[in-house]
Amino acid sequence: MANILVVDDELGIRDLLFEILNDEGHTVELAENAAQARAARQRHEPDLVLLDIWMPDTDGVTLLKEWRGAGTLTMPVIMMSGHATIDTAVEATRIGAQSFLEKPITLQKLLKAVEQALSKDTGGRKPASATEPARAAIAPPPATDLTVESAMTGGQSLPQAMDLGPQGQQLFDLDKPLRDARDAFEKAYFEYHLSQEGGSMTRVAEKTGLERTHLYRKLKQLGVDLARGRRGGSGS
C-alpha cells in the first residue's frame, strides 16, 4: 500500500479523495494548506502527493517550486485544479509535477493517474505498492456453476441454485414474483463481488459498471451488509 498525501483547502475534496484512496488500500494523510503539507513532508516522505493549485496561503505551484529548490521533490506530485489555465498546468509539469487533474475529478482519471505516478521510478526507488500489483494479488473468483434440478416447464430445465464459491450455495425461489426473485439474485450478486474484492466499493463499482453513489443506494436498498463483505474478503 502506498502512503499518499492529499493537499486541498476544500473539505469536500479531501474527504472524497480520502474515501476513494483509502478504499483502494492506500494510507492517506490530509492537509488543508501549504503549512500542513510542509509539516507532513518533514515528518516522512510520501509515495505520492495530490496537490491543489489554488490555496489561500501558498498556492500549489509555489509549494512545488519550494520543494524542488530545497531538493525535497523526491516523490511524484499530481496537481489538481478546477480553474487553472493551460499555461499553469504546463508550468507545473515543467517544475516537476507528474501530471495534472482537472476538477471535478472523475474516479477513472484519478485511479489511472495515481497508478501511473506510483509505477514510475522516482529518485531511484519504485513503490512496491502500486495499485495494479495490489490488485493482482487478489485471487480471481472461482467459476460460477449452475445446479439444474428437474423442475420442468415447457420441456425445459430451469436453474434452481447457483454455486457462489466462498459465499456458499444461494437458492432462489422461482415461484416468487419477478421483482422479489430479482432482488434476491441482485443481493447475492453484490455480496459475491464484495467478497471477491475484499469489500472495496471502488473495485465493485468498476466490476459491475455502476457509479459509486448508485452502488451505495442499491446496496442499501437490498439490505447488503457491507461489513460482512469486508470480513469475507479479508482472507483472500
Side-chain angles (χ1 to χ4, degrees), residues 24 107-108 111 135 201-210:
E24 284 293 296
L107 176 65
Q108 291 79 7
L111 295 182
R135 291 187 185 180
M201 292 292 292
T202 300
R203 291 197 288 269
V204 172
E206 292 179 341
K207 189 90 172 191
T208 60
L210 297 176

Side-chain angles (χ1 to χ4, degrees), residues 66-108:
E66 179 182 312
W67 279 339
R68 181 183 179 182
T72 55
L73 187 58
T74 54
M75 64 288 179
V77 176
I78 298 175
M79 306 300 293
M80 307 178 296
S81 180
H83 309 286
T85 63
I86 295 178
D87 291 340
T88 303
V90 170
E91 180 185 7
T93 303
R94 180 181 58 80
I95 296 170
Q98 291 281 354
S99 58
F100 173 83
L101 289 175
E102 184 177 3
K103 298 179 182 178
I105 302 171
T106 65
L107 176 65
Q108 291 79 7

Side-chain angles (χ1 to χ4, degrees), residues 44 129 171:
H44 60 82
S129 54
L171 300 177

Side-chain angles (χ1 to χ4, degrees), residues 44-63:
H44 60 82
E45 180 183 350
D47 297 315
L48 173 66
V49 177
L50 294 174
L51 178 59
D52 186 30
I53 289 183
W54 300 111
M55 294 187 295
D57 57 346
T58 303
D59 65 84
V61 174
T62 299
L63 181 59

